[in-house]
Amino acid sequence: MSAEAADRVAAVTSSRPSTPLQVSWFEFLLDGSLLEKHLQKTNPDPTPVQLIIQFLEQASKPCVNEQNQVQPPVDNRRNRTLKLLALKVAAHMKWDLDSLEKGLTIPVLNMLLNELLCVSKVPAGVKHVDLDLSTLPPTTAMAVIIYNRWAIRTIVLSSFPEKQTKPGPHQMNMLSVVQQEKEMTENILAVLKEQAADSVSVLEGALRLKKDFYVHTPRTLDLLGSDAAANGETESSTAGLRISADELHCQVHYDLGAIFFQRGCTDQPAYEKARDHFRMTKELLKKLDAAVHVHLDERRLAGYWNACKALTGDCDPANPHTTRYDRINSLIRAQDYQAVVEAFIRDNASRSLPSHFRRSVLRELLYRVQQGESGLDGVCHELCVCNAVRDALEGEVLSVRFQQLLLKPSKRIVDFMLEVCTRSLDGDRPSETSRANMAAFLKTLCQNLEDLSLAFAVTSHKLFLELLRDEDRKVLMEQLRKRSATVNLSAKPLPSFYDIPASASVNVGQLEQQLILSLDPRRIRQILIELHGMAERPFWRVNGKWEVPPDYINVVLAIKDNLTRDLVYILMAKGLHCISIKDFGHARHLFSACLELVTEFSPKLRQVMLNETLLLDVHAHEAMAAEGSKERPPPDLVSRVRGYLEMRIHDVPLRQVIGEECVAFMLNWRENDYLTLQVPPSLVMNNPYIKLGQLLASTCKELPGPKESRRTAKELWEVVVQICSVSVQHKRSSDGRLGLIRQRESSLGILQRSKFITFIKKLREPLVLTTLISLFVRLHSIVRDDIVNEVTAEHLSIWPSSLPNIQAVDVEAVAVTVKELVSYALTLNPNNQSWLVTQADIYFVTNQYSAALSFYLQAGAVCSDFFTKPVPPDVYTDQVLKRMIKCCSMMNCHTQVAVLCQFLREVDYMTAFKALQEQNSHDAMDSFYDYIWDVTILEYLTHIHHKRGEMEKRQIAVKAIGQTELNSSNPEEVLQLAAQKRKKRFLQTMARLYF
């Protein structure tokens, strides 16, 4: 053992750290048995792939001679041993290419497999396709097969869109390393693609071998490094790990299927070859009970198989084994579009087809419409309706395309919608959630239809009358009446609660069932009178789901008369349940009856019921507001809310949620003067919700005033920072050292963080939510300390720019809160462009570029009538546009990058030219040339396509540049009009791609 290794062991023994030190690569050189022991550990550190990287990195380090000249790595015993150690680690992993590809870069894996070819004595200078695998030693043949399998897998993987990890603020030498690795990868891929046909031939030859195969193990590799290799042991027919012919053939068929599938986009018959290979893979998988050495993704195999059948037409709808995907694809190929619509309607009830597949079918037919196929417009509208109903049933957001269809629908489309809605609920007992979602969809449909005759056709439909509650129908009809001056619905007054006739019944079980189902207070009292005449027991326990808040339970159960106790408990529990499902009409009847009952004997319970009735009225009014009502609450309700906040009755139990809802109610209806000027100071000191409400109201009133008037903004900042802080505790071990650090939520905040989040989600006033979003965005920026990738929001300047004790703030809690807050705000108003930009920024700084681009586009769409007008420059600032450009760049959509570079105030030619030089672009490339109005960029496109010999694309660029409206001699207003027209069309196209 070396002195350095001995020192490390001594350090471990003496100091006993909580985590063991990582083993260094050179220790495996010093101790031959250490590698096997290390790899047998449950979680070895370094991991196997890290060891391979370290061994090969050390073995390939260049050396410097006496003249300071860099020389290639020398071929000495040390380097050979390091390479052998790397191979032994791969052998320990049983040459699982999936694991190796995930952990190693292409250059490293290429070096490893070339070393395997070398030690396996593959003849040098001979092409693999010229080798006869049947005559080679088993391990040599297997090395050739592994290498060529990796070659075609790498070609396939390199064709997939992949988020590239761009270097951050590295130093220059690090940047050069990254660039060198990229160039090496590209060079290796070029060689592999050039030899792809040979690799396919080698693997097809391997499929013709029917014998078992053997691959190197750590033991056989050890023998290669010793004199035993001279005895020919490693070349024997049974040396190494045995892999059955079926297992290898299964894996090779899968890999060949993948490469042929990739070729199919340019060579249609290749899809048939891919299908045949995938069929063999499936058959061999069924044959192999326990495929130890087969490593493939069965879900991806199933996807490949379905895609091949769809692309080759190899599916029969009448075949009972045909999948639902095959049937749809067969119908599309047969152009039986009405059958496709019918299948979608049936699927709305069964929900067996994934939503993404249904949307892809619609996109396929829309593409055919764009290509000029006639008679498909109506089919596309019907499929769009089917998908919208499916989205509605699952509580998803309705698509932009459906929203556009609702702008001017025909009566036929509305009738079709109602038919689809009805049939979508025809399944076996649709869930309450589905029925509620369908009711919400029908309500939205009525509110969005501009033609009132169509809206009334919906309201008179049987499904509408069945799904919507009376209260909801009344509210909706009232809204329609205001638009057309038609209808009048009246409710019957509630008779006196005591004016109830009593009658006998027959069966306790039947009565209990009626008691559970009934929502009529008079009927509930009648049933309880009959039950108490038959049996004397607590009937409030009949249903375990009847729940009264813990704050009230003791007061209710203290009622001495059993009948009265049961009645009060059940009326209150049923009323609270009705509120939870927004059945406010029945809740009001139940609470009124309960209030009438308790007024006679208990002032305390009377006040409890008055408080719960207040909460009911607040919930009802907030529910109407959430559905679009702009009507302010009546003065009586506002007065009752104030009275509750100021109430001082000490022996009445109070629920915290009522105070919370009352403060949220005052903020939502902009009762800021009361919260800032009239609320008693003692309430502010004792009730955290009132204090929070007062600070929010004061801050909103001061916006956007001068800095000196922002004292309350600073106070609100300090309160929120305290809520998001943690207290750090150090636990000292028996020997006096600090051993464990614990973080707990700070007890100094006026509210727990979870309660604060719950309170925030009761707010819906835009200015209050904008203020809170602004605060959390500023706090998030400070704790992240990343100036380059900051999230933007309105009114950021009112908050402090630093924190005195930044370590005390829970960074993760702040990040989660800002995401939740913005997402919640967008559920209330998905058209608020400021919130949409903030949401886009959040996705951008967390490297979710597709989602970020989607929200940037939504922000532009909502303030320009879906890009029919120019997007205001304060929305699409240069910073936003540069972030959109980076999003496209990170997704390898380089043509989109070039188009967006024109949107900047100063066209960024450098970025545009660099993007257009990229050949691996994942967008539609030349189909975007029509959106380019900058002649310089078009001229560069013409040049670069000519240089590459891409004549068709060059011709498209020449055609674009030759349009008369782009002539530089035109007046400025003509050029501006041409640019605006292309901007509009490009952004609308992008929206359809990313929404």
Side-chain angles (χ1 to χ4, degrees):
M1 182 180 296
S2 69
E4 183 181 348
D7 290 342
R8 293 178 69 243
V9 172
V12 171
T13 309
S14 61
S15 60
R16 296 184 181 274
S18 55
T19 55
L21 293 172
Q22 192 181 70
V23 184
S24 289
W25 62 269
F26 65 84
E27 295 183 45
F28 296 100
L29 282 174
L30 303 173
D31 184 352
S33 63
L34 181 58
L35 182 63
E36 184 178 355
K37 295 175 185 175
H38 179 78
L39 294 175
Q40 295 303 325
K41 293 178 182 177
T42 309
N43 293 304
D45 185 19
T47 62
V49 288
Q50 288 173 340
L51 279 178
I52 292 174
I53 294 169
Q54 291 177 17
F55 291 149
L56 292 180
E57 182 183 354
Q58 295 299 324
S60 59
K61 268 189 175 179
C63 59
V64 180
N65 62 14
E66 296 176 355
Q67 288 79 32
N68 268 346
Q69 294 174 330
V70 177
Q71 301 291 324
V74 295
D75 183 20
N76 55 23
R77 182 181 176 187
R78 169 189 174 277
N79 288 348
R80 285 195 297 273
T81 305
L82 284 168
K83 291 175 184 177
L84 197 63
L85 287 172
L87 291 172
K88 288 172 69 175
V89 175
H92 170 80
M93 298 170 69
K94 298 181 180 176
W95 305 100
D96 177 7
L97 288 180
D98 276 342
S99 302
L100 291 170
E101 286 164 348
K102 287 175 185 174
L104 303 177
T105 62
I106 290 176
V108 174
L109 195 45
N110 180 60
M111 190 188 309
L112 178 74
L113 295 181
N114 273 298
E115 193 59 32
L116 173 65
L117 294 174
C118 182
V119 300
S120 300
K121 298 185 174 61
V122 175
V126 180
K127 286 187 175 182
H128 291 178
V129 72
D130 296 331
L131 296 172
D132 183 358
L133 296 181
S134 61
T135 62
L136 295 176
T139 51
T140 305
M142 194 62 187
V144 173
I145 292 171
I146 290 174
Y147 178 85
N148 286 281
R149 276 189 56 218
W150 169 75
I152 65 170
R153 287 165 64 98
T154 304
I155 294 169
V156 172
L157 287 173
S158 69
S159 68
F160 293 161
E162 185 179 357
K163 182 175 73 175
Q164 295 180 354
T165 54
K166 295 197 174 180
H170 296 294
Q171 296 180 5
M172 291 304 295
N173 60 343
M174 190 62 189
L175 278 171
S176 64
V177 170
V178 173
Q179 185 62 31
Q180 285 175 11
E181 184 172 315
K182 183 180 178 183
E183 290 175 0
M184 286 174 61
T185 302
E186 290 174 352
N187 292 337
I188 293 169
L189 279 172
V191 173
L192 295 180
K193 289 175 182 177
E194 188 181 328
Q195 299 173 352
D198 289 352
S199 294
V200 169
S201 298
V202 168
L203 294 178
E204 287 175 340
L207 292 175
R208 292 191 287 271
L209 299 179
K210 304 303 180 186
K211 61 182 182 182
D212 290 344
F213 296 82
Y214 291 84
V215 66
H216 277 300
T217 63
R219 179 179 177 276
T220 59
L221 290 168
D222 263 337
L223 293 174
L224 287 173
S226 66
D227 294 336
N231 299 328
E233 183 176 347
T234 58
E235 297 182 8
S236 94
S237 59
T238 58
L241 176 66
R242 186 181 74 86
I243 297 175
S244 70
D246 284 344
E247 285 180 307
L248 183 72
H249 289 175
C250 179
Q251 190 75 66
V252 170
H253 275 301
Y254 177 77
D255 294 335
L256 285 172
I259 190 73
F260 281 121
F261 187 88
Q262 187 225 7
R263 292 177 178 177
C265 58
T266 54
D267 179 19
Q268 186 69 24
Y271 284 128
E272 296 179 4
K273 293 183 181 179
R275 178 200 59 199
D276 296 339
H277 282 294
F278 289 132
R279 179 186 286 118
M280 290 301 302
T281 306
K282 289 168 65 72
E283 291 175 2
L284 287 168
L285 270 179
K286 289 178 184 176
K287 182 179 175 182
L288 296 166
D289 294 331
V292 179
H293 304 297
V294 176
H295 303 282
L296 55 85
D297 185 343
E298 292 194 35
R299 290 181 60 189
R300 175 162 285 188
L301 172 62
Y304 271 136
W305 176 243
N306 289 329
C308 285
K309 289 198 294 181
L311 291 164
T312 59
D314 184 22
C315 50
D316 178 11
N319 186 343
H321 300 293
T322 302
T323 67
R324 50 190 184 275
Y325 305 106
D326 298 334
R327 294 190 188 99
I328 297 292
N329 287 319
S330 296
L331 293 172
I332 293 173
R333 272 195 307 276
Q335 297 188 353
D336 191 353
Y337 299 122
Q338 285 307 314
V340 176
V341 173
E342 184 65 26
F344 272 41
I345 296 174
R346 289 197 303 270
D347 182 66
N348 280 356
S350 62
R351 302 189 206 175
S352 57
L353 289 172
S355 295
H356 62 81
F357 175 75
R358 293 167 58 111
R359 286 193 286 268
S360 71
V361 171
L362 177 57
R363 283 196 298 269
E364 168 72 17
L365 296 187
L366 287 168
Y367 175 75
R368 295 189 181 189
V369 171
Q370 291 174 353
Q371 295 302 306
E373 192 168 331
S374 60
L376 283 182
D377 286 331
V379 175
C380 291
H381 290 162
E382 291 178 355
L383 290 180
C384 183
V385 168
C386 292
N387 286 349
V389 173
R390 167 68 175 272
D391 290 339
L393 284 169
E394 295 182 343
E396 299 291 335
V397 179
L398 300 178
S399 68
V400 174
R401 198 174 301 281
F402 179 72
Q403 301 281 9
Q404 291 173 327
L405 183 61
L406 279 188
L407 293 177
K408 286 187 178 178
S410 64
K411 185 176 186 307
R412 186 187 70 81
I413 284 293
V414 173
D415 290 341
F416 179 75
M417 276 185 213
L418 294 172
E419 178 193 350
V420 173
C421 291
T422 304
R423 292 181 59 187
S424 297
L425 290 179
D426 281 349
D428 297 336
R429 295 186 181 179
S431 67
E432 285 301 316
T433 304
S434 296
R435 291 173 65 85
N437 288 340
M438 183 63 78
F441 175 72
L442 292 174
K443 192 187 306 180
T444 303
L445 191 60
C446 291
Q447 292 168 340
N448 288 351
L449 287 171
E450 292 184 6
D451 187 340
L452 288 173
S453 64
L454 296 178
F456 284 120
V458 175
T459 59
S460 61
H461 195 270
K462 176 185 175 183
L463 186 66
F464 181 89
L465 299 173
E466 177 187 334
L467 292 181
L468 267 77
R469 296 186 294 269
D470 293 342
E471 191 78 13
D472 291 338
R473 290 205 302 273
K474 289 176 186 176
V475 172
L476 189 57
M477 294 301 287
E478 180 63 22
Q479 292 173 358
L480 294 177
R481 186 190 65 76
K482 288 179 180 178
R483 288 166 56 188
S484 66
T486 32
V487 77
N488 180 22
L489 292 175
S490 60
K492 295 180 180 179
L494 181 70
S496 171
F497 181 61
Y498 286 102
D499 185 21
I500 300 174
S503 65
S505 192
V506 289
N507 184 294
V508 173
Q510 289 179 346
L511 286 174
E512 287 181 344
Q513 185 180 17
Q514 292 176 29
L515 182 65
I516 291 171
L517 296 176
S518 179
L519 290 174
D520 182 358
R522 296 175 301 155
R523 179 61 183 150
I524 291 170
R525 181 176 183 270
Q526 181 181 348
I527 294 170
L528 281 172
I529 290 172
E530 294 182 24
L531 284 171
H532 276 274
M534 297 178 180
E536 197 59 39
R537 58 188 177 85
F539 288 100
W540 60 269
R541 293 180 176 173
V542 166
N543 187 352
K545 294 186 178 180
W546 287 339
E547 293 182 355
V548 165
D551 309 85
Y552 304 153
I553 192 73
N554 292 332
V555 182
V556 174
L557 296 184
I559 299 172
K560 294 181 179 179
D561 181 68
N562 292 338
L563 172 61
T564 306
R565 182 185 62 223
D566 287 348
L567 191 51
V568 171
Y569 188 100
I570 293 171
L571 289 173
M572 187 184 294
K574 280 178 174 283
L576 291 169
H577 171 71
C578 287
I579 292 175
S580 70
I581 61 173
K582 297 187 178 180
D583 185 359
F584 301 116
H586 281 117
R588 192 168 281 111
H589 293 166
L590 291 161
F591 278 4
S592 297
C594 191
L595 177 62
E596 185 180 349
L597 176 63
V598 299
T599 299
E600 299 294 326
F601 66 89
S602 175
K604 187 184 297 186
L605 276 173
R606 177 181 179 276
Q607 188 59 54
V608 165
M609 289 313 303
L610 287 173
N611 295 344
E612 289 299 322
T613 304
L614 170 64
L615 182 60
L616 161 64
D617 291 339
V618 168
H619 275 306
H621 199 83
E622 290 295 290
M624 288 173 58
E627 292 170 357
S629 172
K630 302 296 182 183
E631 186 178 346
R632 283 192 61 80
D636 170 64
L637 180 56
V638 177
S639 176
R640 286 162 59 202
V641 169
R642 292 183 179 185
Y644 178 84
L645 292 175
E646 298 172 9
M647 187 171 60
R648 284 290 173 272
I649 305 176
H650 297 292
D651 60 341
V652 174
L654 300 176
R655 280 213 293 160
Q656 181 176 300
V657 68
I658 302 179
E660 187 180 344
E661 291 282 356
C662 285
V663 173
F665 176 84
M666 299 296 272
L667 285 169
N668 287 337
W669 291 104
R670 297 176 292 282
E671 294 289 334
N672 293 341
D673 288 339
Y674 172 76
L675 288 171
T676 54
L677 303 174
Q678 300 172 27
V679 66
S682 57
L683 284 180
V684 179
M685 298 298 295
N686 298 324
N687 190 324
Y689 293 105
I690 293 179
K691 180 174 179 62
L692 198 55
Q694 185 186 64
L695 291 172
L696 281 167
S698 300
T699 304
C700 291
K701 279 184 70 176
E702 290 175 358
L703 290 175
K707 282 194 174 181
E708 54 269 17
S709 67
R710 296 174 187 165
R711 178 183 55 80
T712 52
K714 184 178 180 183
E715 192 175 347
L716 174 62
W717 169 270
E718 291 170 350
V719 165
V720 172
V721 168
Q722 201 67 256
I723 290 172
C724 295
S725 294
V726 291
S727 57
V728 182
Q729 297 181 346
H730 299 271
K731 183 178 179 182
R732 205 169 281 279
S733 60
S734 57
D735 60 357
R737 292 184 294 106
L738 291 176
L740 180 65
I741 298 177
R742 291 183 177 176
Q743 287 191 333
R744 294 181 179 176
E745 193 171 326
S746 175
S747 59
L748 300 177
I750 63 172
L751 278 177
Q752 291 180 358
R753 194 180 307 119
S754 58
K755 292 181 178 178
F756 177 61
I757 299 295
T758 303
F759 174 70
I760 287 177
K761 291 188 177 180
K762 297 180 188 297
L763 303 173
R764 51 173 183 74
E765 163 57 27
L767 186 57
V768 175
L769 288 171
T770 297
T771 303
L772 281 168
I773 288 172
S774 172
L775 188 155
F776 273 99
V777 165
R778 168 66 82 185
L779 185 57
H780 185 246
S781 296
I782 292 174
V783 296
R784 281 186 79 248
D785 192 22
D786 185 355
I787 298 174
V788 177
N789 290 322
E790 282 193 345
V791 180
T792 57
E794 293 182 284
H795 310 304
L796 288 177
S797 60
I798 69 171
W799 311 112
S801 57
S802 61
L803 282 173
N805 187 13
I806 195 170
Q807 292 81 10
V809 179
D810 189 337
V811 179
E812 184 178 351
V814 172
V816 169
T817 304
V818 74
K819 289 176 185 175
E820 281 192 35
L821 179 53
V822 177
S823 297
Y824 165 70
L826 285 172
T827 62
L828 300 176
N829 182 7
N831 295 329
N832 186 304
Q833 57 89 9
S834 172
W835 298 346
L836 287 168
V837 171
T838 302
Q839 179 72 294
D841 285 344
I842 291 170
Y843 282 125
F844 180 84
V845 301
T846 52
N847 301 330
Q848 300 178 68
Y849 298 111
S850 178
L853 186 57
S854 173
F855 277 97
Y856 284 132
L857 289 166
Q858 288 182 52
V862 299
C863 61
S864 63
D865 288 346
F866 198 69
F867 302 116
T868 55
K869 302 173 184 175
V871 180
D874 60 333
V875 177
Y876 276 1
T877 62
D878 268 9
Q879 179 182 348
V880 168
L881 290 169
K882 286 176 180 177
R883 290 189 170 188
M884 292 171 71
I885 288 168
K886 183 174 180 183
C887 289
C888 293
S889 176
M890 298 303 286
M891 293 186 293
N892 285 345
C893 297
H894 300 298
T895 318
Q896 295 170 14
V897 169
V899 178
L900 283 170
C901 285
Q902 303 171 108
F903 284 60
L904 296 167
R905 284 167 180 77
E906 295 290 336
V907 180
D908 187 352
Y909 290 113
M910 290 294 293
T911 302
F913 293 168
K914 184 178 178 183
L916 293 173
Q917 288 171 8
E918 297 283 349
Q919 295 191 25
N920 187 23
S921 189
H922 295 153
D923 55 21
M925 295 186 70
D926 47 8
S927 68
F928 285 105
Y929 292 176
D930 280 343
Y931 306 130
I932 301 176
W933 63 88
D934 188 282
V935 176
T936 305
I937 294 177
L938 286 169
E939 287 174 344
Y940 182 78
L941 266 174
T942 308
H943 163 71
I944 202 166
H945 285 316
H946 178 74
K947 186 177 177 181
R948 292 176 185 162
E950 298 167 342
M951 291 300 115
E952 288 186 16
K953 293 181 179 179
R954 178 184 178 277
Q955 196 58 37
I956 295 172
V958 169
K959 184 180 177 182
I961 204 172
Q963 297 175 84
T964 54
E965 57 189 355
L966 298 184
N967 192 321
S968 57
S969 301
N970 288 336
E972 184 62 28
E973 56 269 22
V974 173
L975 295 174
Q976 286 295 328
L977 188 62
Q980 287 301 330
K981 184 174 75 172
R982 284 161 175 76
K983 281 184 180 180
K984 178 187 78 171
R985 286 167 47 217
F986 173 70
L987 290 172
Q988 287 176 340
T989 301
M990 292 286 282
R992 293 189 185 98
L993 283 173
Y994 291 101
F995 276 15

